[in-house]
Amino acid sequence: MNLYAIRAIYKFEMARTFRTLLQSVVSPVVSTSLYFVVFGAAIGSRITDVDGVPYGAFIVPGLVMLSLLTQSISNASFGIFFPKFTGTIYEVLSAPVSWLEVVIGYVGAAATKSVGLGLIILATSSLFVPLRVEHPLWMLSFLLLTAVTFCLFGFVLGIWAENFEKLQLVPFLIVTPLVFLGGSFYSIEMLPPFWQTASLFNPVVYLISAFRWSFYGSSDVSVSVSVAMTLVFLSACLLAVRWIFKTGYHLRT
Amino acid sequence: MGVKIGNGERSRPAISIFGLSKTYASGLQALKDIDLEIRRGEIFALLGPNGAGKTTLIGIVCGLVNPSRGKVLVDGHDIVSEYREARSLVGLVPQELTTEAFETVWDTVNFSRGLFGRPPDPGHVERVLRELSLWDKRDERIMALSGGMKRRVMIAKALAHEPRILFLDEPTAGVDVELRREMWGTVRRLRESGVTIILTTHYIEEAEEMADRIGVINRGELVLVEEKRELMRKLGRKKLTLQLAERLHEIPPALTGYRLELSEDGRELVYTYETQTGRAGIAALLADLNAAGIRFEDLQTEQSTLEEIFVGLVKGER
């Protein structure tokens, strides 16, 4: 294991995070606060409790997941896309590092940032609504697992994308709709029967639902199914990265 | 074309390339069955026009390009199955100026060292930065540096992990004369410390000045590999110019066997000869001139430069 290489990549990526602190931390916090004002205060005041949880508090896990998913993907994809774009990737490709070391460095740094962001958003939320976390260890585990999984997905996306347009396309057209329709702002029981069934095909529903369970002890779907699905997705992403480095897909000519 | 090691018993070659070919997805065949051995401790210059395959060759050895066929050993280590051992020995300075923008010089060079699996060594990094006159710039962001300085940063990054083999892909392209001289000095000092250096260049002057051996590559084929001196001796032409004591109207029939040219004013006689055929021709010519009663006041010889040799080779006329 080339630990020095992992550390070098990790440090480099974290330095990039701190250089762009305003964009990477402040803006998600501001947008989360806006969600609270709009959904929590303006609309939430007209909605009664959901599963015995006040609406303002009910949307917190969904909001954290919303930011976690989008930020993980955009952060990790940009982290590898940019060196590819500028050409500095040559150094990583010519270094005595395995695919796993590269992934641990890049995805580790991106996930660190995402988890940190998730915690900051949680802290921000607690200023607006009284928070209750029934299973704190599970909550942190879900946070970590989701961050790592979607950073991996972002990493694959960043290698696949040949231009900025493609880099934006997947988050915009696929991830954002899935997240919004994934029950961030509602329980899927509030939907008409057809859409309830349709929602079961949305992987994000499982993530948000399980995460909400760690807070309030109630869930739309089985928590174990949710964990299993996330692990399957994580393994798929890992296999994709391994294949990419083996073949040099979009990395080596 | 196979290359034999001179004495047959030197130490293991720094790099051995066997039957290396590369065809890009576009169908372009960039390399055709290259065999090459780079000796330990030498400066090897790879010469060739744009698109000849120089960068592809370097890219394969360094892991940036997938070979289509063939095998490469770095110090005996296969670049695919033993990539860790192979790559940790190699430093690469690519042709393009690709650097981080926001990092400081110090950080980026330390990053390179770590990436290549070496423990932190501020002393070594300092020596590298001082050698390349970057020490004063160590805390500056790379984006604030001039093009020449960025080029030095790239060399510093390549040297950060103390490589035993250094690839310089057109290191002095777009670099001013002073910096070029400085870089040549750095390369020489590296060679003295035992580092094997492979450089590609457009400037034949550079190869002529620096290289121990020269490989000429054209359209993906290695046209020849030769000791520089040998190459110049074999392929070089020499010109002998004689300043005549008296004007000559035409070359006497007795001398038509020589490749002679008479200048328009009839005061200079130019004899062109291949160094390969030896210098016996000169003695004969001089004797024949004497016999023909042609006297001369002065003479000078001139050797063709590598540039002329190179242009001749690439055009296919030897």
Side-chain angles (χ1 to χ4, degrees):
Chain A
M1 207 62 166
N2 185 347
L3 291 176
Y4 291 115
I6 296 176
R7 197 172 74 171
I9 296 174
Y10 186 86
K11 246 177 85 176
F12 175 86
E13 281 298 291
M14 290 311 285
R16 191 171 66 84
T17 300
F18 286 109
R19 275 199 302 269
T20 54
L21 209 57
L22 198 70
Q23 169 208 327
S24 48
V25 173
V26 178
S27 70
V29 169
V30 170
S31 63
T32 309
S33 305
L34 288 176
Y35 280 124
F36 273 114
V37 173
V38 175
F39 287 99
I43 297 174
S45 61
R46 298 178 179 230
I47 299 178
T48 49
D49 294 0
V50 184
D51 298 334
V53 180
Y55 184 71
F58 176 83
I59 64 171
V60 170
L63 277 179
V64 172
M65 275 291 164
L66 178 77
S67 296
L68 198 65
L69 292 189
T70 50
Q71 288 298 314
S72 291
I73 292 171
S74 81
N75 192 22
S77 63
F78 199 73
I80 190 71
F81 176 83
F82 200 63
K84 224 171 48 123
F85 180 73
T86 59
T88 54
I89 189 86
Y90 84 84
E91 212 181 2
V92 175
L93 295 177
S94 68
V97 290
S98 70
W99 68 276
L100 197 60
E101 289 150 6
V102 176
V103 167
I104 294 174
Y106 277 104
V107 171
T112 305
K113 180 179 165 185
S114 295
V115 170
L117 192 71
L119 294 175
I120 290 172
I121 291 172
L122 268 185
T124 314
S125 313
S126 69
L127 300 178
F128 292 90
V129 290
L131 273 187
R132 184 179 93 226
V133 186
E134 278 190 17
H135 312 285
L137 272 182
W138 275 110
M139 191 274 279
L140 285 174
S141 307
F142 279 129
L143 208 60
L144 197 64
L145 184 65
T146 311
V148 169
T149 304
F150 282 82
C151 284
L152 262 174
F153 177 69
F155 190 76
V156 174
L157 184 69
I159 292 174
W160 168 79
E162 295 135 328
N163 50 44
F164 279 98
E165 199 197 1
K166 280 190 171 179
L167 192 66
Q168 306 282 357
L169 204 68
V170 173
F172 254 9
L173 289 186
I174 300 174
V175 179
T176 308
L178 286 183
V179 171
F180 271 85
L181 300 175
S184 301
F185 302 109
Y186 53 85
S187 163
I188 58 170
E189 283 163 26
M190 294 157 79
L191 295 172
F194 171 76
W195 288 107
Q196 278 193 35
T197 317
S199 294
L200 294 179
F201 293 98
N202 180 355
V204 178
V205 166
Y206 296 85
L207 287 174
I208 291 178
S209 192
F211 194 52
R212 190 173 286 138
W213 166 83
S214 71
F215 281 79
Y216 307 120
S218 64
S219 169
D220 291 337
V221 293
S222 150
V223 173
S224 44
V225 169
S226 167
V227 173
M229 281 194 51
T230 312
L231 287 175
V232 166
F233 189 51
L234 182 131
S235 312
C237 291
L238 268 178
L239 287 175
V241 177
R242 198 181 72 145
W243 176 81
I244 283 169
F245 276 83
K246 277 252 148 70
T247 59
Y249 171 82
H250 280 200
L251 285 177
R252 290 194 299 269
T253 45
Chain B
M1 172 158 130
V3 183
K4 291 179 190 77
I5 294 185
N7 306 331
E9 41 68 43
R10 289 196 195 187
S11 57
R12 190 157 51 175
I15 293 175
S16 318
I17 297 173
F18 306 101
L20 193 65
S21 298
K22 173 66 186 178
T23 306
Y24 284 105
S26 63
L28 173 79
Q29 196 175 359
L31 292 178
K32 298 171 190 163
D33 201 24
I34 302 275
D35 288 306
L36 175 64
E37 228 166 52
I38 309 286
R39 297 171 192 163
R40 196 182 294 261
E42 73 174 340
I43 298 183
F44 186 91
L46 203 53
L47 278 177
N50 279 327
K54 304 186 293 286
T55 302
T56 300
L57 184 63
I58 290 183
I60 290 176
V61 178
C62 294
L64 309 183
V65 177
N66 285 328
S68 304
R69 260 202 330 276
K71 190 173 167 178
V72 180
L73 302 181
V74 174
D75 194 28
H77 302 290
D78 187 283
I79 56 159
V80 179
S81 61
E82 296 171 283
Y83 69 95
R84 272 194 211 272
E85 292 84 350
R87 290 186 194 170
S88 57
L89 293 169
V90 176
L92 165 66
V93 183
Q95 192 174 337
E96 307 278 331
L97 264 184
T98 47
T99 51
E100 300 297 333
F102 305 103
E103 289 273 290
T104 65
V105 172
W106 178 256
D107 286 347
T108 198
V109 175
N110 278 290
F111 166 81
S112 301
R113 186 177 168 86
L115 191 63
F116 277 75
R118 304 299 302 264
D121 183 351
H124 173 72
V125 174
E126 178 175 344
R127 277 192 297 281
V128 169
L129 292 182
R130 286 194 189 278
E131 165 69 40
L132 291 161
S133 318
L134 281 169
W135 182 245
D136 296 336
K137 307 269 181 193
R138 64 188 179 279
D139 293 324
E140 286 197 33
R141 286 180 165 200
I142 299 166
M143 62 196 276
L145 301 177
S146 66
M149 282 292 172
K150 282 182 186 156
R151 179 74 63 185
R152 290 174 203 227
V153 170
M154 295 192 64
I155 298 178
K157 281 166 78 69
L159 293 176
H161 67 282
E162 302 162 63
R164 303 307 301 151
I165 299 165
L166 183 66
F167 281 94
L168 295 160
D169 197 357
E170 301 200 10
T172 51
V175 157
D176 64 34
V177 180
E178 195 188 339
L179 181 52
R180 195 182 306 171
R181 294 266 160 213
E182 257 182 60
M183 282 190 185
W184 290 353
T186 302
V187 169
R188 280 204 191 89
R189 280 188 288 280
L190 280 169
R191 200 262 296 267
E192 278 159 26
S193 72
V195 176
T196 306
I197 290 151
I198 298 103
L199 60 91
T200 71
T201 180
H202 272 64
Y203 302 108
I204 297 181
E205 187 196 0
E206 199 159 74
E208 207 170 336
E209 169 108 17
M210 309 283 304
D212 299 312
R213 285 199 307 151
I214 290 174
V216 176
I217 189 169
N218 190 36
R219 293 183 197 174
E221 285 176 275
L222 209 49
V223 183
L224 68 81
V225 178
E226 198 81 72
E227 300 279 345
K228 179 181 67 187
R229 277 194 210 97
E230 189 71 2
L231 179 66
M232 300 203 45
R233 197 181 63 78
K234 267 189 176 172
L235 294 169
R237 284 185 180 165
K238 274 197 147 183
K239 272 184 189 171
L240 171 68
T241 308
L242 298 161
Q243 257 90 37
L244 303 178
E246 290 136 32
R247 276 179 68 162
L248 199 64
H249 297 287
E250 55 172 0
I251 298 170
L255 299 174
T256 46
Y258 298 97
R259 217 182 319 178
L260 287 175
E261 268 174 82
L262 188 63
S263 67
E264 268 181 30
D265 63 2
R267 304 216 53 129
E268 266 185 16
L269 202 54
V270 180
Y271 170 50
T272 311
Y273 60 103
E274 313 262 336
T275 43
Q276 213 167 356
T277 55
R279 285 166 186 83
I282 302 177
L285 173 69
L286 295 183
D288 285 348
L289 280 172
N290 206 20
I294 300 171
R295 287 180 301 119
F296 53 91
E297 292 175 327
D298 201 0
L299 78 157
Q300 70 190 72
T301 63
E302 203 180 306
Q303 181 149 25
S304 56
T305 61
L306 249 179
E307 183 139 12
E308 289 156 348
I309 298 174
F310 175 64
V311 169
L313 265 176
V314 169
K315 279 190 187 152
E317 46 168 88
R318 290 174 62 147

